[in-house]
Amino acid sequence: QVQLVESGGGLVQPGGSLRLSCAASGRTFSNYAMGWFRQAPGKEREFVAGISRSGIMTYYADSVKGRFTISRDNAKNTVYLQMNSLKPEDTAVYYCAAGQVLAGIRSGKYDYWGQGTQVTVSS
């Protein structure tokens, strides 16, 4: 089993920034591709960003390209999501996920996910 714990969410104004962290434990972190998903009230969970096991390859949803950056530190078993130029439509619960391959995570296939952290973008 893999346990994932997200942190770093909060209330920010439009145009502000947040950095989310996801700490993993239980199994070898470097064996997993990682990703971030978000879910707004009344909407389906959507893919936000993903990163390969090595950290070399990354993918982003079109809605966040140029604003969000995903990264990982395998030595610390942690994946990050730097969010800049935040918009009200970014408001959602953000979930960290772990899966076998990045392509699978992009399509919503993953083995583990955390409890989520709330991000609210509002004036």
Side-chain angles (χ1 to χ4, degrees), residues 56-97:
I56 295 175
M57 296 184 65
T58 59
Y59 291 97
Y60 300 92
D62 288 341
S63 59
V64 305
K65 285 182 178 178
R67 300 188 298 119
F68 291 10
T69 302
I70 187 171
S71 62
R72 67 189 297 163
D73 186 339
N74 287 347
K76 296 182 178 180
N77 288 356
T78 302
V79 63
Y80 306 95
L81 185 68
Q82 178 67 46
M83 305 185 295
N84 299 326
S85 302
L86 284 163
K87 305 175 181 179
E89 51 263 44
D90 294 319
T91 296
V93 177
Y94 283 71
Y95 299 89
C96 177

